[in-house]
Amino acid sequence: AEAAPAAAAAPAAEAVEGAHTAAEQGGDSDSDGDDDEAEAKSDGSREPVEEPPYRKTPEGAAPLESGAIFRGRVGAVAESGHIAIVNDLIDVGRTRKYLRQCKSDRSRVDGLIFGFNRGGFDVLVYGLRAFCPVSGVSIDNIQDPTTLLGQWGEFHVQAAKSGSQGLVVSRRSILEKEARKAAKALLKSLEEGQTLEGRVTQVREFGIFVDIGGVEGLVHQSEISWEHGTRPADVAKPGDTVKVVVLGTKERESKRERHDRVSLSMKALQPDPWDAHKDSLVEGTPMKAPVVRTAEFGAFIQLAPGIDGLLHVSELGGKDVQHANQVVKDGDEVYVVIERVDKKSRRISLSKLSDAEAELFEKGELTAANRAPKLKQGSSVKVVVQQVLSAGLQVRIENVIGKKGRGFIPNSEMGTARGTDHRKKWPPGTEIDVMIIGTDRDGGLRCSRKRFLQDEERRAVREYRKEVSKQGLGTFGDILKAKLGLDQDSSQ
């Protein structure tokens, strides 16, 4: 029965408790004055005490309806204002002897949780009031004590304080044993890729702990969402119900751990952004995108939700730039072009657009159509001089954006005599035919004018020999005579 709140029920509780104590001491039951010596036999053994004939509410019995009359006597009153009514006569002395025997034998006893107080819960055991500490009633954190009221359970009788006549019970060891057994069975049944529903137990900076039925698994921060930098606290809180996918299990590393480690994932149930954006994220695509984080080696640019690309620090400035945050900060929007897409490792390399290219992009005149041709070592291409340096010429392939359109011709590969003034002969804007001889570590092209000229000479010789082989020696002589005759005519 549920009475008024504890403060209002205190006087009534004291009166009822006083009457109940008097009944226990000399009412309708045997005295509790028997000590352990009276229970012992002459040979030192103890005579077993039979279980008291106390009737527990049968399982499946129809619950009492509101307004129904229930006759009994007050068994106990909890500090919370809840009253236990018992309709059996309790042999207090015999019951206490039996409970002492259960404590000694570590036998389990049935108990009904009927109230709670500041330190724990009130439990009715064979009609007698017992105290169960909060730590002994559940292995989980208790958010609302009223959820346990009316529950039957098995308990162990614990040792009470010296000189105390009160009963102390706990069911923690029983629950832990059952939990270990259930966890062992669950771990055996877990399969990689299995989808489960669980309850969030803890939220930490590195991830979310989820109870999937007696076994606690970890959703690491990297497995919460496809979007980088997602904070676990922004996704879930203790008590939330979430769906997870089993990634695998790992044997526990110490005895302190209750069971093997279970790795879980929440993002595995979310659409893969790489599939959603596979058609738009192709090499050569220019875009304007925000910086999401910076590092010493470069800045990460968000190309799409859940997909970031790396803009190397070399694209942000010269050798003086030691960290990307010296040039850009989180939230800045930059103009970039996709240089390389590695779908297997989920990495995208970017290069920065020049100011002129960024201006064309804003006008809509720069698109993915301006991609670099299939250039490989030995290919010939026409380039435009961008800048003449002391070490060589910086050039660019016309209408090709990104680092794949950038190149450099060292002075040694210009094919000119020592002391030639390259600035005067090839000012910025001049077109030069070159051969690709490789790429540098930043992905730019290494070009050579000298090798292009050598290749042109070899090509001219091959064409000449081919032409000679077609015409034959006589024909060649006629051509030569005709040429000489023309020369003689012209000399006359």
Side-chain angles (χ1 to χ4, degrees):
E2 186 172 336
E14 292 176 1
V16 175
E17 284 291 276
H20 181 54
T21 303
E24 285 189 356
Q25 291 176 349
D28 54 6
S29 61
D30 295 338
S31 172
D32 191 30
D34 297 322
D35 52 20
D36 290 344
E37 294 181 359
E39 298 175 17
K41 294 182 180 180
S42 58
D43 57 359
S45 62
R46 295 181 180 275
E47 182 177 354
V49 182
E50 293 182 2
E51 182 179 5
Y54 177 70
R55 290 173 295 150
K56 169 183 170 183
T57 302
E59 294 184 5
L64 294 175
E65 297 180 357
S66 179
I69 297 175
F70 181 85
R71 291 182 173 84
R73 70 173 185 141
V74 176
V77 179
E79 186 178 302
S80 57
H82 297 87
I83 302 172
I85 300 178
V86 182
N87 61 357
D88 274 342
L89 293 177
I90 308 301
D91 188 335
V92 178
R94 179 180 176 185
T95 301
R96 285 187 175 275
K97 289 178 183 178
Y98 177 73
L99 293 177
R100 283 197 297 271
Q101 177 179 288
C102 291
K103 178 174 74 70
S104 177
D105 298 341
R106 294 291 295 168
S107 301
R108 299 183 182 185
V109 297
D110 290 326
L112 172 68
I113 301 174
F114 71 91
F116 54 88
N117 51 56
R118 284 163 289 185
F121 290 80
D122 296 285
V123 183
L124 203 65
V125 180
Y126 291 106
L128 300 184
R129 179 183 182 179
F131 170 72
C132 181
V134 173
S135 61
V137 78
S138 175
I139 56 177
D140 299 319
N141 293 328
I142 301 172
Q143 304 295 330
D144 183 5
T146 61
T147 57
L148 297 179
L149 298 181
Q151 289 188 13
W152 281 93
E154 291 184 317
F155 294 82
H156 280 142
V157 181
Q158 307 291 305
K161 291 182 179 180
S162 179
S164 173
Q165 295 295 319
L167 290 172
V168 180
V169 295
S170 173
R171 62 175 183 174
R172 186 174 187 85
S173 61
I174 298 173
L175 295 176
E176 287 178 340
K177 184 177 181 179
E178 292 174 351
R180 286 193 298 269
K181 185 177 179 181
K184 190 175 181 180
L186 178 60
L187 284 169
K188 287 184 177 179
S189 67
L190 291 180
E191 296 180 359
E192 186 175 338
Q194 185 177 358
T195 301
L196 300 169
E197 192 173 84
R199 179 176 56 84
V200 176
T201 56
Q202 299 181 63
V203 178
R204 308 290 289 274
E205 290 184 1
F206 55 84
I208 300 173
F209 287 93
V210 180
D211 186 337
I212 53 175
V215 174
E216 196 174 60
L218 173 65
V219 181
H220 191 267
Q221 184 183 18
S222 61
E223 290 295 330
I224 293 176
S225 172
W226 289 105
E227 293 192 27
H228 296 287
T230 301
R231 296 176 64 250
D234 295 337
V235 177
K237 63 182 182 300
D240 286 352
T241 300
V242 295
K243 284 188 175 182
V244 294
V245 172
V246 178
L247 297 181
T249 59
K250 183 180 179 182
E251 291 185 5
R252 58 182 180 176
E253 296 180 354
S254 66
K255 293 183 179 180
R256 293 180 182 179
E257 300 178 61
R258 290 191 298 174
H259 51 70
D260 294 348
R261 296 183 177 185
V262 180
S263 298
L264 305 172
S265 174
M266 294 170 65
K267 78 175 185 182
L269 295 171
Q270 304 166 11
D272 189 341
W274 281 79
D275 293 335
H277 299 279
K278 62 182 179 180
D279 295 331
S280 59
L281 298 178
V282 294
E283 295 179 2
T285 303
M287 58 179 58
K288 181 181 180 182
V291 177
V292 290
R293 61 187 187 281
T294 58
E296 291 184 0
F297 51 84
F300 288 93
I301 314 299
Q302 188 181 57
L303 307 178
I307 302 179
D308 297 343
L310 175 63
L311 182 64
H312 196 267
V313 69
S314 62
E315 292 286 317
L316 297 172
K319 298 180 180 179
D320 295 336
V321 180
Q322 302 298 318
H323 196 289
N325 61 15
Q326 294 178 238
V327 182
V328 295
K329 61 181 184 296
D330 292 1
D332 287 353
E333 290 195 322
V334 294
Y335 296 92
V336 295
V337 60
I338 298 176
E339 293 290 345
R340 188 169 66 89
V341 178
D342 187 344
K343 294 182 179 180
K344 187 175 181 180
S345 60
R346 292 175 176 262
R347 293 180 178 177
I348 297 179
S349 299
L350 307 173
S351 62
K352 190 177 180 181
L353 295 180
S354 65
D355 293 340
E357 291 170 338
E359 187 175 346
L360 291 174
F361 176 80
E362 287 295 340
K363 293 179 180 179
E365 299 176 7
L366 196 66
T367 65
N370 304 115
R371 300 179 189 173
K374 295 292 183 179
L375 298 176
K376 60 182 180 179
Q377 189 169 339
S379 299
S380 297
V381 65
K382 189 181 292 293
V383 297
V384 178
V385 177
Q386 299 288 304
Q387 189 177 5
V388 181
L389 305 175
S390 58
L393 278 66
Q394 285 185 346
V395 297
R396 170 171 288 282
I397 301 176
E398 196 72 22
N399 297 324
V400 177
I401 60 178
K403 69 175 64 175
K404 289 186 177 179
R406 303 174 193 165
F408 184 76
I409 311 173
N411 287 333
S412 60
E413 294 294 334
M414 285 297 296
T416 57
R418 185 184 296 271
T420 301
D421 188 351
H422 293 165
R423 283 188 175 86
K424 186 176 181 180
K425 193 168 185 178
W426 290 284
T430 306
E431 291 187 346
I432 305 177
D433 290 312
V434 297
M435 176 183 287
I436 306 300
I437 58 175
T439 56
D440 57 28
R441 61 181 182 180
D442 294 330
L445 301 173
R446 292 180 62 245
C447 307
S448 174
R449 176 178 175 271
K450 179 176 68 175
R451 299 193 194 184
F452 173 82
L453 296 175
Q454 292 173 348
D455 187 63
E456 283 293 296
E457 290 177 2
R458 286 193 290 268
R459 186 182 297 109
V461 171
R462 286 196 301 270
E463 291 179 356
Y464 171 75
R465 288 177 177 174
K466 185 177 180 181
E467 185 67 24
V468 168
S469 64
K470 287 181 178 180
Q471 294 183 2
L473 184 58
T475 306
F476 178 73
D478 295 338
I479 295 174
L480 183 57
K481 288 178 181 179
K483 178 65 176 173
L484 291 174
L486 288 173
D487 290 343
Q488 290 174 357
D489 293 339
S490 61
S491 63
Q492 292 176 355

